[in-house]
Each structure stands twice: as structure tokens, then as C-alpha cells.
Amino acid sequence: MELLPRPSARPILLTVRAMVLEAQGEPLQARDLPRPVPGPGHVLLRVRACGICRTDLHIANGDLPEPKLPLVLGHQIVGEVEEAGPGVEGLAPGERVGVPWLGWTCGECRYCRSGRENLCPRARFTGYQIDGGYAEFALADARYCLPIPEAYPDLQAAPLLCAGLIGYRALRLAGEAERLGIYGFGAAAHIVAQVARHQGRRVFAFTRPGDEETQAFARELGAGWAGPSTEPPPGELDAAILFAAAGELVPAALRAVAPGGTVVCAEIHMSDIPSFPYEILWREKVLRSVANLTRQDGVEFLELAPKVPVRTQTTTFPLAQANEALDALRSRAVHGAIALVVDDS
Ligand SMILES: [Zn+2]
Ligand SMILES: [Zn+2]
């Protein structure tokens, strides 16, 4: 494999510009942090782009408890290896890698030993317990870095690293469904719809009532039907994935799926699910969630993405405008994905 030339002409910076969460519920602060030094098994990455995920909002808002503080958010990092720490194998300076949400697992527990490292109780996550990519540089455990398909520009690749990966895992757990409902049509859904169509499935997209723009966006990406989540789809679904944090959508989705169908909740945080009659779960319907990802999911999905090929639609903001980018996600001002451009030189 040919390595990219190392940008050795660049001056070595002693501090690193980062957008830092100092307290939940408060805006991020622009700070100069000491340049990180990669310890054993770690790489120092020059961040090129970092995708923004709804989970970042949940951490910033305080919906998810006890983040590392102060914290650099961001777990869809596309970066270039600047320096490899002792013992790193297979990654050399100049290589481009992706850093996803799963940042470390224990490797010893019964989940780790049975191919379910996504459920490791000691797992540590990028941009939550480990500083992430809203910064010029980031450290990552080399074993959790993912290869990025060569054909993808940085900004196309960034949303694959969480929206794509978690979406892919959710799609797999939805089973062999031919008629697939998708509730909430943001970054993950806009990727999953393309993969689902590639697999020959039919996509039914549900949005907030009145959001005709998003319904049109879903149709552009191959949804055969798009309408408000308050309405039943035309005909029963075989499965549904919820990419929305609204618990009241769970009974709606259960009603919409056929006997034997699965409803997958893909969000890390959701409002309470209202009580519902057992009748809408009966006939072997399955209600389940998706939590995190395994490295295997990452490798599989990043191999699949260029074959579809998944085209991500990404709205960009400079690093210094990370708060504005989070606001855009909060207010649903953009379609598709959002990413910070950190270094596009
Ligand atoms: Zn473990
Ligand atoms: Zn995420």
C-alpha cells in the first residue's frame, strides 16, 4: 500500500484549538489545549473532519449522565495519523483513518469474549469518556480506528462513522424485512434508506407531521412512500427502525408492523414510552434497541458503503462554529448529516 506523503513541512503546534464542553447545559468554549502525546498503542490524529451526531447533543444537553469534563465532543472523526505511539502496528503517519463511538473495551468480559463488545460494561466511548474530534488533534487507540474507503472524501466519510454504522447495525437487526419503515429522517436514515434500497427493500419514511420538505428529501433517497408519523403507512410494514427520540413513536411503529415484525429503537436516549395495549405487541412482534457498535460492524459497513454506493449529504461548519452546528441539528435546520471541517488543507 502506498502511503500519503507526510506533511512534514508543517510547523509543530504546541497547543491545539478545541471546542470544549466544560459543563452540561452550557455552550462549548473555544480553548487551546496542550498538544496530546500518543501513549502506548495510541495514535495522534490530525483531525480533518468530524461529524456531528444527535448523541453529541444529548451529552451537551445533559440527557446522558456523567461525561468526562471538560470534554471534547465528537465521535465521527476522519483524521490523518500524525504520530504513532509505542507498540502501534499497522498504522503509519499519513494514513487516513476513522474514529467511531466505540473507543475502548475490556476484552475480558463475557460480552467482549462473545462478539458483543458493544455491550461491554466497561466500554469507553469517543467524545464521552474519551476526548473526541471537535479539535485540531485527537488521540485514539489504534485498535479501534477504522479504515476509510479510499473513494470517500473526508466530509462524505465522516457521517458513515456513526450515522452509517449505527444505522447499519439497526438495519441488520430489523431482519429480512422487505417493507421497512423508518421513523425520523435525519443523518442515519438518509444513509440507511440508500442501503435498504440497494438490498432490494422498500422504504416507508415517517417524519414529523407537516414536514413536507423532509418527506420530499426521503423520496429523493428512494423512499417509496413518505408521510407524517401520525398516519398509518399504506399497508403493513415488515419492520420499522426508529431514528427519533420520541417514545410515543414506539406504539405507533408497533401498530404499523405486521405479525412477526420487528421494531428497532436506534437512539441512545428516548423519552418515556407511553403504556400501550398488549394486543399491539402480540403475534410475535419484537421490540428491541440497538446499542453502540462493534469493530466488526465498522469493518463490514465501510466495505459495503462504496458498493451501494452510499452518498452522504453533509452540511459543513468550521470548527469554531461547533455551537452553531449543534444548534442546526437541534432545530432540524438541515437535511442529512452535519460535519465540522477542521483541516481541509
Ligand atoms: Zn468487556
Ligand atoms: Zn453518534
Side-chain angles (χ1 to χ4, degrees):
M1 197 165 107
E2 220 176 67
L3 300 181
L4 297 167
R6 188 174 186 194
S8 53
R10 300 192 204 201
I12 292 194
L13 304 168
L14 295 175
T15 58
V16 169
R17 179 46 59 120
M19 295 299 288
V20 179
L21 181 72
E22 295 185 337
Q24 287 181 296
E26 285 178 16
L28 309 181
Q29 307 293 331
R31 294 282 182 253
D32 288 316
L33 304 178
R35 178 187 161 104
V37 177
H42 283 67
V43 284
L44 177 67
L45 300 173
R46 184 183 286 270
V47 178
R48 300 179 61 86
C50 184
I52 293 202
C53 175
R54 188 160 293 277
T55 298
D56 301 347
L57 267 188
H58 290 312
I59 296 169
N61 291 350
D63 299 327
L64 292 177
E66 297 174 7
K68 163 194 179 293
L69 286 176
L71 171 72
V72 180
L73 289 168
H75 56 269
Q76 304 188 89
I77 306 173
V78 177
E80 189 181 307
V81 177
E82 177 79 6
E83 196 184 329
V88 170
E89 282 173 22
L91 279 185
E95 275 186 70
R96 191 173 69 143
V97 293
V99 181
W101 173 242
L102 188 76
W104 183 86
T105 54
C106 80
E108 296 166 353
C109 70
R110 64 197 187 92
Y111 298 102
C112 284
R113 284 189 284 111
S114 59
R116 296 179 294 162
E117 63 183 359
N118 60 309
L119 301 178
C120 174
R122 290 163 64 199
R124 289 155 55 83
F125 300 102
T126 313
Y128 192 21
Q129 287 93 17
I130 301 170
D131 278 334
Y134 290 16
E136 290 172 318
F137 285 88
L139 285 178
D141 185 321
R143 298 168 302 166
Y144 294 81
C145 292
L146 296 169
I148 292 180
E150 233 170 85
Y152 277 87
D154 300 335
L155 289 165
Q156 281 269 319
L160 302 179
L161 291 164
C162 186
L165 285 183
I166 299 281
Y168 172 69
R169 189 174 172 87
L171 181 62
R172 209 178 62 218
L173 296 179
E176 293 291 308
E178 198 246 320
R179 295 167 60 90
L180 177 73
I182 297 180
Y183 288 77
F185 211 89
H190 101 290
I191 294 173
V192 166
Q194 298 175 56
V195 179
R197 292 289 300 131
H198 172 74
Q199 295 173 335
R201 306 175 195 245
R202 294 165 66 190
V203 173
F204 299 78
F206 298 83
T207 71
R208 294 172 166 250
D211 189 354
E212 276 149 32
E213 253 183 69
T214 305
Q215 290 163 19
F217 179 59
R219 279 187 216 101
E220 272 169 43
L221 289 168
W225 176 89
S229 56
T230 44
E231 255 180 43
E236 285 179 319
L237 304 173
D238 299 317
I241 304 175
L242 273 61
F243 292 115
E248 66 266 23
L249 292 175
V250 172
L254 280 171
R255 283 193 169 91
V257 299
T262 300
V263 173
V264 182
C265 300
E267 289 295 296
I268 194 169
H269 171 84
M270 207 180 214
S271 59
D272 287 353
I273 300 170
S275 76
F276 54 82
Y278 175 59
E279 186 196 330
I280 65 172
L281 177 64
W282 192 59
R283 291 194 182 87
E284 304 199 343
K285 293 183 190 177
V286 174
L287 174 60
R288 69 170 306 160
S289 67
V290 163
N292 313 319
L293 69 139
T294 65
R295 282 172 278 179
Q296 187 58 29
D297 292 331
V299 170
E300 273 175 36
F301 176 67
L302 291 169
E303 270 175 22
L304 174 65
K307 291 176 190 154
V308 171
V310 173
R311 302 253 181 260
T312 57
Q313 184 169 317
T314 308
T315 303
T316 63
F317 290 82
L319 174 62
Q321 286 178 23
N323 285 309
E324 288 78 0
L326 287 170
D327 282 343
L329 181 59
R330 196 177 273 124
S331 62
R332 298 179 175 77
V334 299
H335 290 306
I338 303 176
L340 299 177
V341 181
V342 182
D343 181 353
D344 56 358
S345 59

